[in-house]
Amino acid sequence: MNQPVTVSRDADVAVITLDNPPVNALSFHLRAPLMTALETLRDDDTVKAMVLTCAGRTFVAGADITEFGKPMQRPDLRDLIATLEKIEKPTVAAIHGTALGGGLELALGCHFRVAVKEARLGLPEVKLGLLPGAGGTVRLPYILGPRKALKVIVSGTPIGAGEALQGGLVDALHDGELVANAVAFARAKVAEGGPFKAVRDRRERIEEADLAAFDADAAELAKKARGLEAPVACAQSVRNAITLPFDEALAKERDFFVHLVSGEQSRAQRHLFFAEREAAKVAGVGKDVKPREIRRAGIIGAGTMGGGIAMSFVNGGIPVTLLEMSKEALDRGLATIEKNYAISVSRGSLAEDAKTKRMAMFTGTTDYADLADCDIIIEAVFEDMDVKKDVFGKLDKIAKAGAILASNTSYLDVDQIAAITARPQDVVGLHFFSPANVMKLLEIVRGKKTAPDVLATALAVAKRIAKVPVVVGVCHGFVGNRMLAARSADSEDLLLEGASPAEVDKSFTDFGWPMGPFQMADLAGLDIGWRNRKSLGKTAAIADPLCEQGRFGQKTGKGYYLYENGRTPKNDPEVEKLIEEKARERGIERREISAEEITERSLYPMINEGARILEEGIAARASDIDIVWVNGYGFPVGKGGPMFWAEAHGLKKIVERLDHWHTRTGKAVFEPAPLLRRLAASGGSFAELREAAA
Ligand code: T1G
């Protein structure tokens, strides 16, 4: 068992090494010996300077998130930093990997910070529904200035060591031996002589701060918070660093932290943090299953999905061969990709030379034979089984042995597609979400014959292209789209019985969704659903007549809403009139429909379908379903995902209301799944399924 804290000496410089794998989280068993080391070295006159470093792949990646919600054992992180900051001999944090959250706060307790060039530094607490709780919202503004610090803290996105150096957060960058360089840096400071200023005493950036400009930035950021408390608390706490004395601002930061850490939103977002990591652990695909090597990817189809998928691979450093049926279609697809990169360059999120490098990683072709050297080939062609089978038939002939053949189908039976080939073990579904170069979610569809190393490869590729993977089984619409169908199964009746599209959408945005179902349908295009219904011989009371009038949504300037200028939806009395007419035709007496009823008739059936999906083993864990919905469908992170929210909301109440609507409507989507009924009756939780499965 490794020592969490070891102290070594390089003559008069003491080196404290923290070692708490895998990410040196500041658990109590690290904090206690660290406090002892700090106090001992502080009082040892033979020690002229101290260096703080970490063993393993990264500097401290934060407080130990698993300790939140439990009584905090002292010394806590603030005690450590308070002791560190009072040490008069120079203290230097030597940073590699990531210095995140409490890890960066600890480093800000030192006089100096040195780092390797690849290091990343940040305060991602806002992503856990928290704010930095050990001085980060006060000390970082002292170093970077309030406006820059506000951006770093409210985005939660780490900055690179180069940017940190420019901002004064890091004092030196090193290529070679980090600790040796840090010791040399410390010794040089000793030679320069003190006093050495603690961060809390460096007020220059605070005194020159432009409060009005800061408030304008904060107001902009608050607009994007969409009901999340943490971003607003972060901004207020950074503002306190400008307006209040250091210790007062620190105390207020603590109050915010204590409030947030015991709140529902942070509990939900911490659930998602661990759920995302759990989702990558797949039964039968242990660490012993080696992924196949992926040097080049082939993408079939350069349309919206194919182009976005291709960009994800190139952004992840994997060169792409992009195939289209015709040169025109290929050129159109590549031009769209180039335009997307140009937009990123114009926004400053991509350098011009990086764009050039990325465009050079695309090879266009209209010849299937050019895919023969690809290690993975993903088709993103028209969502039709015959078309998919035709493509896989061709792929089976040209793809090299061991190549992974993947379908981006969003609904269809991957086993049927695999059966077309002589290598079903190499076939997997990779369901990306539009826009594929932006959306984080990747539903990995495991076929009956998909080999474990194909799944291991898909999981490894997902990490390389910065996607959040969830492995799901084969069924119509997999996890996300299947539940989406249940969520909208009753939406037309809600309109016929009295709700307006705007009322339904408002209940969703009030809940925290970025957009409601009718605005979403207008964005996606009503004609897609219309074509689908016609092919299945199905009808829709409202959507069909809207489509017959050419109201396909944003793309035709009107759908459920009117779009006079671009994307802003406007209520259209024509639509209201059509709904009233269709209701009259069906003898439906229209009435007031509350937001609560809308939630019951849309979210409850969706959760119910989630329970069916768990019963069938299509999803391994309820938390996987939460990850699908938060990363693929905009389910509000502050609510933790549909299954987490359902438990917090009360399974008993949900089952009672499902029974009510099942009786009222006779619709199958409202008939409670046996699992849901059982857990509601026993007061059980979805988590117990996981334990049972483990
Ligand atoms: N606490 C506890 N466990 C952690 C952890 C943490 N801070 N960070 C990671 N783990 C576990 C994780 O669950 C996984 O476990 C394993 O380590 C490897 O992680 C007072 C309030 C550092 C970029 O938010 O972003 O400080 O699944 O798979 O992909 O202000 O981990 O193997 O059992 O993610 O290489 C702020 C969280 C905390 C950073 C590495 N810090 N971590 O990514 O590995 S709040 C964070 C990460 C705080 C103070 C406050 C990433 C990483 P298992 P991994 P990775």
Side-chain angles (χ1 to χ4, degrees):
M1 169 74 180
N2 60 304
Q3 279 307 306
V5 175
T6 50
V7 176
S8 56
R9 294 289 296 263
D10 184 322
D12 55 358
V13 177
V15 178
I16 304 172
T17 304
L18 310 182
D19 191 1
N20 181 24
V23 295
N24 290 311
L26 280 160
S27 322
F28 174 69
H29 87 273
L30 192 68
R31 296 196 306 269
L34 176 55
M35 181 63 100
T36 312
L38 290 175
E39 291 167 339
T40 312
L41 297 171
R42 175 194 62 201
D43 305 339
D44 179 340
D45 293 340
T46 66
V47 172
K48 301 297 180 219
M50 296 154 69
V51 168
L52 188 61
T53 187
C54 288
R57 62 189 162 118
T58 181
F59 191 77
V60 175
D64 185 339
I65 305 169
T66 62
E67 290 183 348
F68 295 156
K70 301 173 190 147
M72 188 57 77
Q73 293 173 279
R74 306 296 288 264
D76 69 16
L77 185 47
R78 294 168 306 142
D79 303 329
L80 274 174
I81 297 171
T83 302
L84 180 56
E85 197 168 47
K86 291 198 191 78
I87 295 174
E88 291 173 3
K89 54 194 86 173
T91 53
V92 180
I95 298 169
H96 71 294
T98 53
L100 300 176
L104 181 55
E105 291 172 305
L106 186 67
L108 284 165
C110 297
H111 298 112
F112 307 103
R113 285 147 294 282
V114 301
V116 294
K117 286 199 174 75
E118 306 71 32
R120 298 181 62 72
L121 301 86
L123 295 172
E125 286 86 345
V126 73
K127 295 183 178 171
L128 298 168
L130 298 168
L131 88 175
T137 66
V138 188
R139 291 190 179 87
L140 193 67
Y142 273 51
I143 293 284
L144 286 181
R147 295 179 70 190
K148 173 84 180 155
L150 178 69
K151 271 214 193 86
V152 171
I153 292 170
V154 174
S155 71
T157 308
I159 60 174
E163 192 180 342
L165 182 73
Q166 266 166 13
L169 178 55
V170 157
D171 301 281
L173 292 188
H174 296 296
D175 257 341
E177 234 310 288
L178 175 64
V179 175
N181 280 302
V183 168
F185 182 94
R187 192 159 286 129
K189 290 298 169 191
V190 172
E192 273 172 32
F196 304 101
K197 260 192 170 184
V199 171
R200 62 175 295 146
D201 303 322
R202 297 164 58 178
R203 288 186 55 78
E204 310 76 36
R205 289 270 173 99
I206 295 295
E207 263 127 32
E208 69 199 29
D210 174 344
L211 193 54
F214 175 88
D215 286 342
D217 292 353
E220 266 318 295
L221 290 166
K223 275 195 216 134
K224 298 186 190 130
R226 282 219 319 267
L228 291 174
E229 291 182 76
V232 178
C234 286
Q236 183 54 52
S237 195
V238 174
R239 191 178 200 283
N240 291 342
I242 305 171
T243 58
L244 301 175
F246 185 89
D247 290 314
E248 249 182 82
L250 213 56
K252 291 215 179 293
E253 178 196 78
R254 191 72 207 163
D255 297 345
F256 279 126
F257 184 81
V258 170
H259 166 72
L260 291 172
V261 79
S262 54
E264 270 307 308
Q265 290 186 353
S266 180
R267 227 168 58 78
Q269 289 176 264
R270 295 191 318 256
H271 157 75
L272 291 171
F273 176 84
F274 291 111
E276 190 176 314
R277 281 138 188 92
E278 281 294 302
K281 296 171 187 155
V282 176
V285 188
K287 288 205 166 45
D288 57 325
V289 180
K290 289 278 156 277
R292 300 180 189 177
E293 199 177 356
I294 302 295
R295 286 172 301 261
R296 172 169 283 279
I299 311 291
I300 303 175
T304 312
M305 285 311 293
I309 296 168
M311 287 178 74
S312 301
F313 275 79
V314 162
N315 297 351
I318 303 172
V320 163
T321 301
L322 187 58
L323 180 134
E324 253 297 356
M325 304 307 283
S326 69
K327 179 95 177 51
E328 298 67 44
L330 180 62
D331 293 347
R332 218 177 17 253
L334 287 168
T336 305
I337 290 172
E338 177 133 24
K339 202 177 90 227
N340 287 338
Y341 281 132
I343 292 168
S344 303
V345 171
S346 67
R347 289 192 185 138
S349 59
L350 185 70
E352 185 64 44
D353 65 336
K355 169 177 172 272
T356 313
K357 281 203 191 95
R358 291 188 188 182
M359 284 312 295
M361 292 170 71
F362 290 95
T363 306
T365 181
T366 57
D367 184 353
Y368 266 81
D370 291 338
L371 298 174
D373 65 342
C374 294
D375 304 297
I376 182 167
I377 304 170
I378 304 171
E379 64 73 19
V381 299
F382 195 60
E383 185 73 351
D384 174 88
M385 185 54 94
D386 294 339
V387 176
K388 304 275 186 196
K389 286 182 174 175
D390 174 55
V391 169
F392 273 76
K394 288 192 183 113
L395 282 180
D396 197 25
K397 295 194 182 62
I398 56 99
K400 66 180 178 185
I404 292 177
L405 308 181
S407 170
N408 178 52
T409 177
S410 32
Y411 283 89
L412 301 174
D413 185 332
V414 170
D415 289 323
Q416 260 193 49
I417 294 173
I420 283 290
T421 74
R423 50 175 111 183
Q425 75 284 357
D426 296 335
V427 176
V428 67
L430 290 182
H431 179 207
F432 289 79
F433 289 74
S434 184
N437 55 313
V438 177
M439 294 299 284
K440 300 287 286 174
L441 180 66
L442 180 61
E443 267 186 328
I444 299 176
V445 186
R446 176 184 206 157
K448 285 198 190 65
K449 299 195 174 148
T450 303
D453 70 330
V454 168
L455 288 173
T457 310
L459 289 162
V461 163
K463 197 154 190 168
R464 279 175 74 184
I465 66 174
K467 299 297 180 197
V468 176
V470 176
V471 174
V472 299
V474 172
C475 69
H476 190 69
F478 318 125
V479 169
N481 285 342
R482 178 173 159 181
M483 290 170 70
L484 184 64
R487 188 188 82 173
S488 44
D490 204 35
S491 54
E492 290 250 323
D493 285 350
L494 277 167
L495 297 181
L496 289 169
E497 292 172 35
S500 70
E503 281 164 347
V504 173
D505 284 351
K506 184 171 181 318
S507 81
F508 273 72
T509 48
D510 289 352
F511 185 89
W513 298 85
M515 189 182 282
F518 294 112
Q519 226 189 309
M520 170 99 102
D522 276 355
L523 179 67
L526 306 186
D527 51 329
I528 299 166
W530 193 33
R531 258 202 313 277
N532 207 8
R533 283 190 299 280
K534 280 202 268 190
S535 68
L536 298 168
K538 288 192 177 161
T539 61
I542 310 288
D544 287 359
L546 286 177
C547 289
E548 280 141 22
Q549 295 170 13
R551 303 180 70 112
F552 295 159
Q554 279 192 20
K555 59 181 149 189
T556 57
K558 50 186 172 181
Y560 286 102
Y561 296 95
L562 212 47
Y563 298 89
E564 279 158 349
N565 51 15
R567 298 174 175 206
T568 318
K570 193 161 161 276
N571 291 342
D572 187 342
E574 289 300 312
V575 173
E576 205 43 43
K577 227 166 73 220
L578 180 139
I579 295 172
E580 284 161 4
E581 188 194 310
K582 295 300 167 191
R584 240 190 335 274
E585 284 170 13
R586 288 163 177 74
I588 297 172
E589 194 67 33
R590 303 190 80 219
R591 59 184 172 83
E592 275 302 304
I593 297 201
S594 69
E596 193 184 0
E597 180 177 337
I598 292 168
T599 300
E600 288 182 2
R601 294 171 67 175
S602 47
L603 221 46
Y604 290 11
M606 179 182 136
I607 290 160
N608 194 33
E609 198 62 29
R612 291 188 208 294
I613 283 170
L614 286 171
E615 284 166 348
E616 296 164 24
I618 300 291
R621 290 157 284 236
S623 59
D624 286 4
I625 296 177
D626 292 332
I627 293 298
V628 164
W629 273 84
V630 164
N631 291 288
Y633 297 82
F635 193 98
V637 291
K639 296 211 163 50
M643 309 315 275
F644 181 88
W645 178 80
E647 277 192 23
H649 188 68
L651 298 182
K652 198 161 177 306
K653 175 181 177 188
I654 292 174
V655 167
E656 276 162 15
R657 296 307 293 167
L658 282 169
D659 274 331
H660 166 80
W661 289 110
H662 185 229
T663 314
R664 273 278 298 268
T665 67
K667 288 185 179 175
V669 280
F670 290 120
E671 185 177 8
L675 170 66
L676 209 57
R677 206 182 276 292
R678 179 164 61 76
L679 292 176
S682 66
S685 114
F686 293 118
E688 67 192 55
L689 292 178
R690 197 178 48 222
E691 278 108 39

